[in-house]
Amino acid sequence: MSELDFWRQLDIFSPSQFKKAVHVIGVGAIGSYIAETLAKMGVKKIYVYDPDVVELHNLPNQVYGLKDEGKKKVEALASYLRETCGVEVKAADTEVGEGKYNFSGIIFLCVDSMAARKEIWDKYLKLNINVDLLIEVRMGAEVGRIYTIKPFNYLDVKNYEKTLYSDEEAEESPCTARTISSTVKVIAGIAAHKVTKFQRGIPYQKETIVSLNPLLITTRSW
Amino acid sequence: MAGPVLVKVGKVPGRVDEYAIDGQPTVETALKTAGLKVGKHDEVRVNGGPAALDAELHNNDVVLLTPQVKGA
């Protein structure tokens, strides 16, 4: 079987020199496109976690297709990435918060509630010296937030925890104005690109807020 | 005598406009000038960082109301 040829990106991201495991926790809208982008970039060790099954209302803004309806998201995603990129993804169809995992490498945290973020942060990630980078993504219909931190860095821990507002403090968009593919792909692309910066040793902003209406990106570090 | 302070003020998603505000504007006066109120899910940001309503503004500052989102 043929393999992807990455020579046009080698100065930006070199798959052969990237040995880290990348975990994508939550493969709904953002997570599924991040996993796809990582596979297209040449990341080989991808682990995905999600207990949900594919429903028809997922199809407009997630990578899944009509044939995937009713399947476990992680299984559909693994199959899709095997077919399109030749990547063998390791899949777990369980709630990460309820399991027992030893995370290392790079973590994309893409769950859909603040409570789940806090639970996973507290249980697995905070002060975990085996996790090189946490990239945590939150999204509304036309706005996204990306936090990129080292979970064992005191300043990162202190400042990141200040951003963990409660679910009640977070916006609950109307069902018909909650998510759209165009926003998802922009946010997922920016988030996945941080892996290339990690490999090249380029400084990254700790917080990135992206608005698509109006088109605006603000960043900050601490 | 110093002229008005030029600031950009807005809400995302929504719109951002530029305003010339006389005197020494604060975040609160800038939002009022723009006709914006801080909603219960909004964070106030000035030049990307969190800011209090009584923070003083300077030329070219950007005041944004950004929603606290949680989806994925």
Side-chain angles (χ1 to χ4, degrees), chain A residues 29-30 110-112 117 138-139 143 145 165 167-172 207 213-214 216 220, chain B residues 11-16 40-41 43 45 47-50 64 66-72:
Chain A
I30 282 287
C110 311
V111 293
D112 57 8
R117 285 179 178 89
R138 308 170 197 174
M139 193 186 63
V143 178
R145 289 177 179 232
Y165 41 78
D167 281 299
E168 291 70 33
E169 291 167 316
E171 178 185 79
E172 188 74 61
E207 179 190 69
N213 174 29
L216 194 67
R220 74 173 166 125
Chain B
K11 180 179 172 69
V12 294
R15 57 183 293 168
V16 179
K40 70 175 187 173
H41 304 303
E43 273 182 359
R45 298 296 183 103
N47 304 329
L64 281 183
T66 61
Q68 298 185 133
V69 292
K70 65 176 180 178

Side-chain angles (χ1 to χ4, degrees), chain A residues 138-156:
Chain A
R138 308 170 197 174
M139 193 186 63
E142 293 183 296
V143 178
R145 289 177 179 232
I146 305 166
Y147 293 92
T148 310
I149 64 159
K150 292 181 185 296
F152 51 86
N153 176 289
Y154 171 74
L155 261 185
D156 278 4

Side-chain angles (χ1 to χ4, degrees), chain B residues 6-64:
Chain B
L6 293 175
V7 293
K8 288 182 179 169
V9 188
K11 180 179 172 69
V12 294
R15 57 183 293 168
V16 179
D17 294 305
E18 191 166 40
Y19 297 89
I21 306 175
D22 288 322
Q24 176 51 68
T26 62
V27 171
E28 190 168 25
T29 54
L31 290 170
K32 192 175 177 183
T33 302
L36 293 171
K37 285 184 179 171
V38 183
K40 70 175 187 173
H41 304 303
D42 290 330
E43 273 182 359
V44 180
R45 298 296 183 103
V46 175
N47 304 329
L53 287 174
D54 61 359
E56 293 185 352
L57 297 176
H58 306 94
N59 267 323
N60 302 316
D61 280 347
V62 179
V63 181
L64 281 183

Side-chain angles (χ1 to χ4, degrees), chain A residues 37-90:
Chain A
T37 307
L38 293 171
K40 290 275 188 184
M41 282 164 41
V43 175
K44 298 292 183 205
K45 294 182 191 170
I46 301 176
Y47 299 77
V48 296
Y49 308 79
D50 200 309
D52 291 345
V53 297
V54 177
E55 299 179 68
L56 288 176
H57 68 81
N58 297 143
L59 301 188
N61 67 327
Q62 304 184 13
V63 296
Y64 311 105
L66 286 167
K67 67 181 172 54
D68 296 322
E69 185 193 3
K71 293 180 185 169
K72 291 280 188 180
K73 286 183 178 178
V74 290
E75 289 168 8
L77 184 58
S79 173
Y80 172 69
L81 296 181
R82 186 182 309 117
E83 289 167 14
T84 56
C85 306
V87 174
E88 288 297 331
V89 169
K90 305 274 191 314

